[in-house]
């Protein structure tokens, strides 16, 4: 059951139903026509409510288990989950409870879900809000937690989960003076050069957005293009380019950029961002493995992956995925590395990166690529960049970034990045 998205709370419950019941991704759901009909501020509020609920879902269920005696339809459970999280994060009990009660279907026979929602949420408000912070940090599902513990250890995974639960501030990549923009927006300049904004409001209303002075991009996601170090006039290919942050970085560096992605809808968004920022690139919609072109000086391959490094920003991922696609993605990444090598000039450089926390999608891919391609080398010197901690550099010469890094300043997304040189 999904209520009609006529308000932010109704839209948030609808998003939760699709994510937890159908395995849909929030990024896809928010592009649908029904959601887009909401006012911009209502869309932002709905996404915030759904995101907060997904982050706190384990805690909400522990609280609700104290008050529920029978299994409920998913839509009713999600109304209760949203209400529990909102109340425990300081929401006004009167407004929260009244609107969520109204989202349930009218009483019919013995199915008085409105009465149940009212009773349970009022008990939560009276008895459980103070318990919220005493509950454990929500954990990743076993299908993901187990391989991460094997790779990084329990302590590191606990720290990652803490970062996921805390969420993520807004990071910006700036065309001009980062210090000046940080001063204007009340942000801070991170060690790697991105500008971080805490408690940001609606992005499109922030100063400099309409003028194209900056774009939204996690600090970790901004590093692959920085390490590629595109030079003015170089022919650079951005494979799997959408949503386009790296394309904008390469274009801003003065390179002659060709950007390719398989999604026509996502490439339309890249063009919108190019137009807004006044930057230029040649856009191609198509399959990266089918591209045949004159050799490029440099290629940035942000390969399709599990996206497990972005959970602090996208807490829907553990609910929308189950790990079954990992094997196929790992095979595709290897194919894309091999094909990218055919599009690269001798002596050219390839940045391979994935927003994944799994070594099979990072460190292992590079180790195996070095075995497949005679003379291919890892350019360790390229990692000599401001803000990069030498401890992040891996044995094979890549860069491993994790959500639990920079805990004192808000963390970063998980990424793997390597700069490869063709013989």
């Amino acid at each position: 059951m999904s209520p009609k998205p006529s308000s932010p709370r109704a839209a948030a419950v609808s998003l939760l139903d699709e994510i937890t019941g159908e395995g849909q991704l929030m990024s896809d759901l928010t592009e649908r026509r029904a959601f887009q009909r909401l006012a911009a501020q209502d869309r932002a509020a709905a996404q915030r409510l759904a995101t907060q609920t997904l982050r706190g879902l384990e805690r909400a269920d522990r609280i609700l288990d104290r008050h529920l005696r029978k299994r409920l339809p998913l839509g009713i459970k999600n109304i209760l989950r949203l209400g529990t999280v909102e109340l425990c994060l300081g929401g006004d009990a009167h407004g929260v409870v009244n609107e969520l009660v109204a989202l349930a279907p009218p009483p019919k026979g013995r199915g008085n879900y409105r009465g149940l929602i009212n009773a349970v949420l009022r008990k939560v408000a009276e008895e459980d809000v103070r318990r919220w912070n005493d509950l454990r940090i929500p954990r990743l599902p076993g299908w993901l937690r187990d391989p991460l513990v094997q790779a990084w250890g329990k302590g590191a995974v606990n720290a990652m989960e803490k970062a996921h639960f805390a969420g993520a501030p807004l990071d910006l990549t700036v065309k001009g003076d980062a210090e000046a923009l940080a001063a204007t927006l009340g942000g801070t300049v991170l060690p790697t050069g991105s500008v971080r904004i805490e408690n940001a409001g609606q992005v499109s209303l922030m100063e400099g957005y309409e003028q194209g002075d900056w774009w939204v991009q996690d600090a970790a996601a901004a590093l692959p293009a920085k390490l590629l170090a595109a030079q003015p006039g170089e022919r650079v290919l951005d494979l799997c380019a959408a949503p386009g942050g790296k394309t904008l970085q390469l274009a801003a560096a003065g390179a002659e950029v060709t950007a390719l992605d398989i999604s026509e809808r996502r490439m339309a968004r890249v063009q919108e961002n190019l137009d807004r920022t006044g930057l230029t690139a040649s856009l191609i919609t198509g399959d990266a493995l089918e591209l045949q072109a004159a050799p490029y000086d440099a290629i940035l391959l942000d390969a399709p992956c599990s996206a497990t490094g972005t959970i602090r920003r996208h807490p829907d991922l553990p609910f929308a995925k189950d790990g079954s696609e990992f094997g196929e993605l790992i095979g595709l990444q290897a194919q894309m590395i091999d094909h990218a090598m055919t599009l690269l000039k001798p002596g050219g450089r390839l940045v391979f990166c994935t927003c994944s926390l799994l070594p099979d999608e990072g460190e292992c891919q590079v180790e195996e690529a070095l075995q497949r391609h005679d003379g291919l080398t890892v350019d360790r010197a390229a990692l000599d960049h401001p803000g990069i901690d030498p401890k992040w550099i891996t044995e094979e010469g890549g860069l491993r970034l994790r959500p639990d890094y920079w805990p004192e300043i808000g963390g970063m997304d998980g990424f793997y990045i390597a700069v490869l040189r063709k013989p």
Side-chain angles (χ1 to χ4, degrees), residues 171-334:
D171 289 352
L172 309 177
T173 298
V174 186
K175 276 199 317 190
D177 187 338
E179 293 284 357
L181 183 73
T184 299
L185 297 179
T188 57
V189 179
L190 295 173
T192 52
S194 296
V195 171
R196 175 157 290 179
I197 311 293
E198 300 286 346
N199 303 312
Q202 189 174 326
V203 169
S204 60
L205 298 180
M206 292 168 57
E207 187 167 345
Y209 176 83
E210 289 291 345
Q211 295 80 9
D213 295 340
W214 49 264
W215 52 92
V216 175
Q217 188 177 32
D218 187 83
L223 278 172
K226 291 179 179 181
L227 299 181
L228 185 70
Q231 301 301 305
E234 278 192 318
R235 295 185 70 243
V236 179
L237 174 63
D238 185 5
L239 281 175
C240 309
K246 300 175 184 67
T247 301
L248 298 178
Q249 287 178 281
L250 299 171
E256 297 177 11
V257 182
T258 299
L260 177 145
D261 198 273
I262 201 167
S263 168
E264 186 173 343
R265 174 180 60 82
R266 284 161 58 84
M267 285 303 275
R269 187 66 56 84
V270 176
Q271 185 62 62
E272 289 173 8
N273 283 320
L274 286 167
D275 293 342
R276 180 176 62 83
T277 56
L279 298 169
T280 58
S282 299
L283 305 188
I284 301 173
T285 300
D287 187 336
L289 294 176
E290 296 177 359
L291 180 66
Q292 303 294 327
Y296 290 91
D297 297 301
I299 297 175
L300 197 162
L301 171 57
D302 187 354
C305 71
S306 64
T308 46
T310 68
I311 291 172
R312 62 199 274 273
R313 294 187 184 278
H314 303 290
D316 53 312
L317 290 173
F319 300 96
K321 298 187 176 187
D322 60 7
S324 59
E325 80 279 20
F326 287 178
E328 183 178 343
L329 285 169
I330 290 165
L332 177 61
Q333 291 155 15

Side-chain angles (χ1 to χ4, degrees), residues 317-386:
L317 290 173
F319 300 96
K321 298 187 176 187
D322 60 7
S324 59
E325 80 279 20
F326 287 178
E328 183 178 343
L329 285 169
I330 290 165
L332 177 61
Q333 291 155 15
Q335 284 183 279
M336 296 186 89
I337 291 173
D338 293 346
H339 186 62
M341 293 297 296
T342 70
L343 303 174
L344 194 61
K345 286 182 179 179
R349 59 205 186 278
L350 167 69
V351 166
F352 168 75
C353 62
T354 55
C355 54
S356 171
L357 293 171
L358 299 166
D360 283 346
E361 297 186 288
E363 292 87 341
C364 297
Q365 283 287 9
V366 167
E367 289 172 352
E368 292 171 5
L370 294 173
Q371 294 173 1
R372 292 196 304 273
H373 297 275
D374 289 340
L376 182 66
T377 57
V378 179
D379 187 350
R380 293 173 178 263
L383 304 185
D384 184 14
H385 186 278

Side-chain angles (χ1 to χ4, degrees), residues 63 66-67 69 87 97 117-130:
I63 287 172
R66 299 178 67 237
H67 304 295
R69 297 291 177 265
L87 289 170
V97 175
I117 291 169
N118 181 67
V120 169
L121 290 183
R122 292 199 181 281
K123 283 184 179 179
V124 169
E126 293 167 4
E127 303 173 10
D128 298 300
V129 170
R130 63 183 179 275

Side-chain angles (χ1 to χ4, degrees), residues 91-163:
D92 173 65
H94 180 75
V96 172
V97 175
N98 284 353
E99 183 175 344
L100 291 179
V101 165
L103 293 184
K108 185 177 181 181
R110 295 185 177 180
N112 184 7
Y113 291 122
R114 289 186 173 182
L116 180 142
I117 291 169
N118 181 67
V120 169
L121 290 183
R122 292 199 181 281
K123 283 184 179 179
V124 169
E126 293 167 4
E127 303 173 10
D128 298 300
V129 170
R130 63 183 179 275
R131 298 180 57 244
W132 179 258
N133 289 327
D134 295 331
L135 297 171
R136 77 178 187 187
I137 297 292
R139 290 188 174 179
L140 292 166
W143 62 263
L144 178 55
R145 194 174 205 271
D146 292 346
L148 291 183
V149 168
Q150 186 175 3
W152 312 116
K154 276 189 177 181
V157 173
N158 289 340
M160 291 182 205
E161 289 167 334
K162 184 176 180 180

